Amino acid sequence: MGGLQRFEQRLEDFISGAFARAFRSAVQPVEIAAALQREVDNNAQILSRQRRLAPNDFHVELSPADMARLAPYDSALADELRGQLQDHADQQGFVFPGKISIGFEEKKDLTTGRFRIKSRAQAAVTGESMSDTQVRRARAYLEINGTRHPLHASLVVGRGTDADLRINDPGVSRRHVEFRMRADDRGGLQVEVHDLGSTNGMLVDGQKMGSALLDDGSRVRIGTTTITVHVVEESP
């Protein structure tokens, strides 16, 4: 029995066929599973002879009618789809840069039975994170792949375990960049970023640079990961 057939059987056992009945004349779960599998196959990037990096963040766009049918089962289906994708990745030698995320969205330009999938590789980020309260009180912080991290006097970002903030992105060096925060001559706040001799360098607001003075909203790209800098002149 193939992977997609096993997926279909697990779904039927898990929800007693209710999903299949609801989708009898519309998008079928196995069609979404097959499309996700193709999305991984088509967008995997070679890391080595035996390893390929696969996208791990997926958005399934559905028609309003299909989305309405899916709504009662979206969590169960997403769980099953994640398991199916992980099984496929294990068989093909794919690796994911972070947790597999699958979301469903309604798109009015789609008709019943038609769907689209958009994907991207989103690296897991490890390091000190911030609560909403801490964000409101911060003078400066970094936003990376939906996570927020406080910016201290010196913060090294990289892939290695000795970095203060670790990003699981193969295009990021072990110690890639260093952010530095200090007061300027007028008592204001300055944030700088410096490349630490990385293999692939960095882009600051789309320009390749070795170092740069950053503003609120500046975007620093290393590997395939974008870091957004948030600067607040004074704490509340």
Side-chain angles (χ1 to χ4, degrees):
M1 182 182 292
L4 292 176
Q5 290 176 305
R6 289 194 298 272
F7 163 77
E8 226 176 3
Q9 184 62 54
R10 286 201 309 268
L11 254 189
E12 186 173 350
D13 294 342
F14 188 69
I15 56 180
S16 302
F19 192 104
R21 288 196 297 273
F23 272 62
R24 186 172 293 122
S25 61
V27 172
Q28 298 295 318
V30 70
E31 292 178 311
I32 298 175
L36 287 169
Q37 185 172 301
R38 287 194 300 272
E39 189 74 12
V40 168
D41 292 343
N42 293 337
N43 292 283
Q45 302 175 29
I46 296 175
L47 294 178
S48 65
R49 182 174 297 180
Q50 297 181 334
R51 296 171 69 243
R52 286 185 287 173
L53 180 73
N56 62 316
D57 185 66
F58 303 90
H59 293 269
V60 182
E61 299 180 348
L62 298 159
S63 71
D66 286 330
M67 190 68 197
R69 292 185 180 94
L70 169 67
Y73 315 104
D74 57 354
S75 296
L77 178 59
D79 287 343
E80 289 297 317
L81 288 168
R82 281 192 289 269
Q84 190 270 341
L85 275 183
Q86 187 63 63
D87 290 345
H88 178 67
D90 292 342
Q91 293 170 7
Q92 300 299 321
F94 297 151
V95 294
F96 297 112
K99 293 181 179 179
I100 301 173
S101 174
I102 300 174
F104 302 94
E105 300 177 25
E106 178 182 315
K107 292 295 180 180
K108 294 188 179 353
D109 65 313
L110 293 173
T111 56
T112 301
R114 298 183 65 84
F115 65 94
R116 284 191 300 260
I117 292 180
K118 295 182 178 179
S119 68
R120 60 177 177 171
Q122 183 163 279
V125 182
T126 306
E128 183 183 358
S129 57
M130 306 173 70
S131 66
D132 290 340
T133 300
Q134 289 172 319
V135 167
R136 288 193 294 270
R137 294 175 178 173
R139 297 199 68 192
Y141 64 94
L142 306 178
E143 187 170 358
I144 312 171
N145 292 347
T147 62
R148 297 169 299 191
H149 307 271
L151 189 54
H152 304 298
S154 174
L155 183 75
V156 174
V157 180
R159 187 165 46 87
T161 56
D162 55 341
D164 302 310
L165 198 58
R166 298 184 297 280
I167 301 177
N168 186 28
D169 182 333
V172 172
S173 296
R174 295 183 60 83
R175 291 169 58 88
H176 201 115
V177 295
E178 180 182 12
F179 289 88
R180 299 173 190 168
M181 186 173 69
R182 61 184 176 84
D184 61 20
D185 296 337
R186 296 174 296 177
L189 186 64
Q190 280 190 341
V191 177
E192 302 172 349
V193 63
H194 299 266
D195 187 279
L196 299 178
S198 65
T199 301
N200 297 318
M202 69 173 179
L203 298 177
V204 179
D205 294 328
Q207 301 295 317
K208 190 162 187 177
M209 298 184 181
S211 62
L213 186 63
L214 305 173
D215 299 314
D216 181 45
S218 290
R219 296 164 68 86
V220 179
R221 186 173 180 86
I222 57 175
T224 60
T225 300
T226 297
I227 303 169
T228 304
V229 180
H230 296 276
V231 180
V232 181
E233 283 298 321
E234 295 183 8
S235 300

